[in-house]
Short mmCIF file of all heavy atoms in Angstrom, two decimals:
data_model
loop_
_atom_site.label_atom_id
_atom_site.label_comp_id
_atom_site.label_asym_id
_atom_site.label_seq_id
_atom_site.Cartn_x
_atom_site.Cartn_y
_atom_site.Cartn_z
N ASN C 1 0.86 -1.18 0.00
CA ASN C 1 0.00 0.00 0.00
C ASN C 1 0.89 1.23 0.00
O ASN C 1 2.12 1.12 -0.06
CB ASN C 1 -0.91 -0.03 1.24
CG ASN C 1 -2.23 0.67 1.02
OD1 ASN C 1 -2.33 1.63 0.25
ND2 ASN C 1 -3.27 0.21 1.69
N SER C 2 0.30 2.41 0.11
CA SER C 2 1.08 3.64 0.14
C SER C 2 2.01 3.70 1.35
O SER C 2 3.01 4.40 1.33
CB SER C 2 0.14 4.85 0.18
OG SER C 2 -0.71 4.85 -0.94
N PHE C 3 1.66 3.00 2.41
CA PHE C 3 2.51 2.84 3.58
C PHE C 3 2.26 1.46 4.14
O PHE C 3 1.26 0.80 3.80
CB PHE C 3 2.23 3.93 4.63
CG PHE C 3 0.83 3.90 5.17
CD1 PHE C 3 0.53 3.20 6.34
CD2 PHE C 3 -0.20 4.55 4.51
CE1 PHE C 3 -0.77 3.16 6.83
CE2 PHE C 3 -1.51 4.52 5.01
CZ PHE C 3 -1.78 3.82 6.17
N LYS C 4 3.13 0.99 5.00
CA LYS C 4 3.00 -0.35 5.57
C LYS C 4 2.28 -0.26 6.92
O LYS C 4 2.63 0.57 7.77
CB LYS C 4 4.39 -0.99 5.76
CG LYS C 4 5.14 -1.22 4.46
CD LYS C 4 6.51 -1.85 4.74
CE LYS C 4 7.26 -2.15 3.45
NZ LYS C 4 7.65 -0.93 2.72
N SER C 5 1.29 -1.12 7.11
CA SER C 5 0.55 -1.19 8.36
C SER C 5 0.89 -2.48 9.08
O SER C 5 0.64 -3.57 8.55
CB SER C 5 -0.96 -1.13 8.10
OG SER C 5 -1.34 0.11 7.56
N PHE C 6 1.46 -2.36 10.27
CA PHE C 6 1.83 -3.53 11.08
C PHE C 6 0.81 -3.69 12.21
O PHE C 6 0.48 -2.73 12.90
CB PHE C 6 3.23 -3.36 11.66
CG PHE C 6 4.31 -3.41 10.61
CD1 PHE C 6 4.68 -2.28 9.91
CD2 PHE C 6 4.99 -4.60 10.34
CE1 PHE C 6 5.68 -2.32 8.94
CE2 PHE C 6 5.99 -4.66 9.39
CZ PHE C 6 6.34 -3.52 8.69
N LEU C 7 0.34 -4.93 12.39
CA LEU C 7 -0.69 -5.21 13.38
C LEU C 7 -0.18 -6.20 14.42
O LEU C 7 0.55 -7.14 14.09
CB LEU C 7 -1.93 -5.79 12.71
CG LEU C 7 -2.54 -4.96 11.56
CD1 LEU C 7 -3.72 -5.69 10.96
CD2 LEU C 7 -2.94 -3.58 12.04
N PRO C 8 -0.58 -6.03 15.68
CA PRO C 8 -0.10 -6.89 16.76
C PRO C 8 -1.02 -8.08 16.99
O PRO C 8 -2.13 -8.15 16.46
CB PRO C 8 -0.14 -5.96 17.97
CG PRO C 8 -1.39 -5.14 17.70
CD PRO C 8 -1.44 -4.94 16.20
N THR C 9 -0.56 -9.00 17.82
CA THR C 9 -1.44 -10.06 18.29
C THR C 9 -2.39 -9.53 19.36
O THR C 9 -3.58 -9.85 19.38
CB THR C 9 -0.62 -11.24 18.87
OG1 THR C 9 0.21 -11.76 17.83
CG2 THR C 9 -1.52 -12.33 19.39
N GLU C 10 -1.87 -8.69 20.25
CA GLU C 10 -2.66 -8.09 21.33
C GLU C 10 -2.77 -6.59 21.11
O GLU C 10 -1.77 -5.92 20.84
CB GLU C 10 -2.01 -8.37 22.69
CG GLU C 10 -1.79 -9.85 22.99
CD GLU C 10 -3.09 -10.60 23.20
OE1 GLU C 10 -4.10 -9.94 23.52
OE2 GLU C 10 -3.09 -11.84 23.04
N ILE C 11 -3.97 -6.05 21.23
CA ILE C 11 -4.19 -4.64 20.96
C ILE C 11 -3.41 -3.74 21.92
O ILE C 11 -3.13 -2.57 21.61
CB ILE C 11 -5.70 -4.29 20.99
CG1 ILE C 11 -5.95 -2.90 20.43
CG2 ILE C 11 -6.24 -4.46 22.40
CD1 ILE C 11 -5.47 -2.70 19.01
N SER C 12 -3.02 -4.27 23.07
CA SER C 12 -2.25 -3.47 24.03
C SER C 12 -0.90 -3.03 23.47
O SER C 12 -0.29 -2.08 23.96
CB SER C 12 -2.03 -4.25 25.33
OG SER C 12 -1.38 -5.48 25.07
N ASP C 13 -0.42 -3.70 22.40
CA ASP C 13 0.84 -3.31 21.76
C ASP C 13 0.66 -2.16 20.79
O ASP C 13 1.63 -1.64 20.24
CB ASP C 13 1.46 -4.50 21.03
CG ASP C 13 1.98 -5.56 21.98
OD1 ASP C 13 2.45 -5.19 23.07
OD2 ASP C 13 1.92 -6.75 21.65
N GLY C 14 -0.58 -1.75 20.56
CA GLY C 14 -0.84 -0.65 19.64
C GLY C 14 -0.65 -1.05 18.19
O GLY C 14 -0.48 -2.23 17.86
N LEU C 15 -0.68 -0.05 17.31
CA LEU C 15 -0.52 -0.25 15.87
C LEU C 15 0.70 0.52 15.40
O LEU C 15 1.12 1.49 16.03
CB LEU C 15 -1.77 0.23 15.13
CG LEU C 15 -3.11 -0.34 15.60
CD1 LEU C 15 -4.26 0.34 14.86
CD2 LEU C 15 -3.16 -1.84 15.40
N LEU C 16 1.27 0.09 14.29
CA LEU C 16 2.48 0.74 13.77
C LEU C 16 2.35 0.93 12.27
O LEU C 16 1.93 0.02 11.55
CB LEU C 16 3.72 -0.10 14.10
CG LEU C 16 5.09 0.49 13.74
CD1 LEU C 16 6.15 0.02 14.75
CD2 LEU C 16 5.52 0.12 12.33
N SER C 17 2.73 2.12 11.80
CA SER C 17 2.74 2.42 10.37
C SER C 17 4.13 2.90 9.98
O SER C 17 4.76 3.68 10.71
CB SER C 17 1.71 3.50 10.03
OG SER C 17 0.41 3.07 10.37
N GLU C 18 4.58 2.43 8.83
CA GLU C 18 5.92 2.79 8.32
C GLU C 18 5.78 3.37 6.93
O GLU C 18 5.13 2.78 6.06
CB GLU C 18 6.83 1.56 8.31
CG GLU C 18 8.24 1.84 7.83
CD GLU C 18 9.11 0.60 7.86
OE1 GLU C 18 9.64 0.26 8.93
OE2 GLU C 18 9.23 -0.05 6.79
N PHE C 19 6.43 4.52 6.71
CA PHE C 19 6.33 5.22 5.44
C PHE C 19 7.63 5.07 4.64
O PHE C 19 8.64 4.59 5.16
CB PHE C 19 6.00 6.70 5.69
CG PHE C 19 4.66 6.89 6.35
CD1 PHE C 19 4.53 6.84 7.73
CD2 PHE C 19 3.52 7.08 5.58
CE1 PHE C 19 3.29 6.99 8.33
CE2 PHE C 19 2.28 7.23 6.19
CZ PHE C 19 2.16 7.18 7.57
N ASP C 20 7.59 5.51 3.37
CA ASP C 20 8.72 5.29 2.48
C ASP C 20 10.02 5.93 2.96
O ASP C 20 11.10 5.47 2.65
CB ASP C 20 8.40 5.83 1.07
CG ASP C 20 7.38 4.94 0.35
OD1 ASP C 20 7.26 3.76 0.72
OD2 ASP C 20 6.72 5.44 -0.58
N ASN C 21 9.91 7.01 3.69
CA ASN C 21 11.11 7.69 4.21
C ASN C 21 11.57 7.10 5.54
O ASN C 21 12.35 7.72 6.27
CB ASN C 21 10.86 9.18 4.35
CG ASN C 21 9.69 9.49 5.29
OD1 ASN C 21 9.09 8.57 5.86
ND2 ASN C 21 9.38 10.76 5.46
N ASN C 22 11.06 5.90 5.86
CA ASN C 22 11.37 5.19 7.12
C ASN C 22 10.80 5.88 8.35
O ASN C 22 11.16 5.52 9.47
CB ASN C 22 12.89 4.99 7.27
CG ASN C 22 13.45 4.04 6.24
OD1 ASN C 22 12.82 3.03 5.90
ND2 ASN C 22 14.63 4.36 5.71
N GLU C 23 9.92 6.84 8.14
CA GLU C 23 9.22 7.44 9.27
C GLU C 23 8.26 6.41 9.85
O GLU C 23 7.56 5.71 9.12
CB GLU C 23 8.46 8.68 8.84
CG GLU C 23 7.68 9.35 9.98
CD GLU C 23 6.86 10.53 9.51
OE1 GLU C 23 6.86 10.82 8.29
OE2 GLU C 23 6.21 11.15 10.37
N ILE C 24 8.21 6.32 11.16
CA ILE C 24 7.35 5.37 11.85
C ILE C 24 6.38 6.12 12.75
O ILE C 24 6.78 7.05 13.47
CB ILE C 24 8.18 4.37 12.68
CG1 ILE C 24 8.98 3.45 11.74
CG2 ILE C 24 7.29 3.54 13.61
CD1 ILE C 24 9.94 2.54 12.47
N ILE C 25 5.13 5.75 12.71
CA ILE C 25 4.11 6.31 13.60
C ILE C 25 3.47 5.17 14.38
O ILE C 25 3.00 4.19 13.80
CB ILE C 25 3.04 7.08 12.81
CG1 ILE C 25 3.61 8.37 12.22
CG2 ILE C 25 1.85 7.42 13.71
CD1 ILE C 25 2.63 9.20 11.43
N ARG C 26 3.48 5.30 15.70
CA ARG C 26 2.78 4.36 16.58
C ARG C 26 1.47 5.01 17.03
O ARG C 26 1.44 6.20 17.33
CB ARG C 26 3.64 4.03 17.80
CG ARG C 26 4.94 3.29 17.50
CD ARG C 26 4.72 1.81 17.21
NE ARG C 26 3.96 1.14 18.26
CZ ARG C 26 4.51 0.61 19.36
NH1 ARG C 26 5.82 0.70 19.55
NH2 ARG C 26 3.76 -0.01 20.25
N ASP C 27 0.44 4.25 17.08
CA ASP C 27 -0.83 4.77 17.59
C ASP C 27 -1.61 3.65 18.27
O ASP C 27 -1.13 2.51 18.36
CB ASP C 27 -1.65 5.43 16.48
CG ASP C 27 -2.13 4.44 15.44
OD1 ASP C 27 -1.30 3.87 14.72
OD2 ASP C 27 -3.34 4.24 15.32
N MET C 28 -2.80 4.00 18.74
CA MET C 28 -3.63 3.11 19.55
C MET C 28 -2.87 2.69 20.82
O MET C 28 -2.95 1.55 21.28
CB MET C 28 -4.07 1.88 18.74
CG MET C 28 -5.33 1.21 19.28
SD MET C 28 -6.80 2.27 19.35
CE MET C 28 -7.17 2.48 17.59
N LEU C 29 -2.15 3.65 21.39
CA LEU C 29 -1.42 3.42 22.63
C LEU C 29 -2.17 4.07 23.79
O LEU C 29 -2.65 5.20 23.68
CB LEU C 29 0.00 4.01 22.53
CG LEU C 29 0.89 3.42 21.44
CD1 LEU C 29 2.19 4.21 21.34
CD2 LEU C 29 1.18 1.95 21.70
N ASN C 30 -2.28 3.34 24.89
CA ASN C 30 -2.94 3.83 26.09
C ASN C 30 -4.35 4.39 25.80
O ASN C 30 -4.69 5.49 26.23
CB ASN C 30 -2.08 4.91 26.76
CG ASN C 30 -2.52 5.18 28.19
OD1 ASN C 30 -3.05 4.31 28.86
ND2 ASN C 30 -2.29 6.41 28.64
N PRO C 31 -5.18 3.63 25.10
CA PRO C 31 -6.51 4.15 24.75
C PRO C 31 -7.43 4.21 25.97
O PRO C 31 -7.33 3.39 26.89
CB PRO C 31 -7.04 3.12 23.74
CG PRO C 31 -5.89 2.21 23.43
CD PRO C 31 -4.97 2.29 24.59
N LYS C 32 -8.34 5.18 25.94
CA LYS C 32 -9.30 5.35 27.02
C LYS C 32 -10.64 5.77 26.42
O LYS C 32 -10.71 6.34 25.33
CB LYS C 32 -8.83 6.40 28.02
CG LYS C 32 -7.51 6.11 28.69
CD LYS C 32 -7.13 7.22 29.65
CE LYS C 32 -5.73 7.01 30.22
NZ LYS C 32 -5.63 5.77 31.00
N MET C 33 -11.69 5.50 27.18
CA MET C 33 -13.04 5.95 26.81
C MET C 33 -13.63 6.67 28.02
O MET C 33 -13.45 6.24 29.16
CB MET C 33 -13.92 4.75 26.44
CG MET C 33 -15.35 5.12 26.11
SD MET C 33 -16.37 3.66 25.67
CE MET C 33 -16.48 2.85 27.28
N TYR C 34 -14.32 7.78 27.76
CA TYR C 34 -14.99 8.49 28.84
C TYR C 34 -16.12 9.34 28.26
O TYR C 34 -16.19 9.57 27.05
CB TYR C 34 -14.01 9.37 29.63
CG TYR C 34 -13.30 10.43 28.80
CD1 TYR C 34 -13.88 11.68 28.58
CD2 TYR C 34 -12.05 10.18 28.26
CE1 TYR C 34 -13.22 12.65 27.83
CE2 TYR C 34 -11.38 11.13 27.51
CZ TYR C 34 -11.97 12.37 27.30
OH TYR C 34 -11.33 13.32 26.55
N VAL C 35 -17.01 9.79 29.13
CA VAL C 35 -18.05 10.73 28.72
C VAL C 35 -17.62 12.13 29.18
O VAL C 35 -16.83 12.28 30.11
CB VAL C 35 -19.43 10.36 29.27
CG1 VAL C 35 -19.93 9.08 28.63
CG2 VAL C 35 -19.40 10.24 30.79
#
């Protein structure tokens, strides 16, 4: 794809995306829900 999407076995590890310039973005870390 336009960038690489890496997925974990456990969601607690978050998600990782890697772009062509080797830039890495981690997300879905320490998620919370509230009103």
Side-chain angles (χ1 to χ4, degrees):
N1 209 329
S2 301
F3 62 94
K4 297 180 177 67
S5 294
F6 291 85
L7 306 178
T9 299
E10 304 292 338
I11 192 58
S12 57
D13 290 327
L15 307 174
L16 185 148
S17 300
E18 181 179 278
F19 297 86
D20 288 338
N21 59 2
N22 293 321
E23 179 184 2
I24 292 173
I25 290 180
R26 295 283 307 274
D27 66 294
M28 203 59 70
L29 299 173
N30 196 28
K32 300 179 186 298
M33 177 180 70
Y34 59 86
V35 292

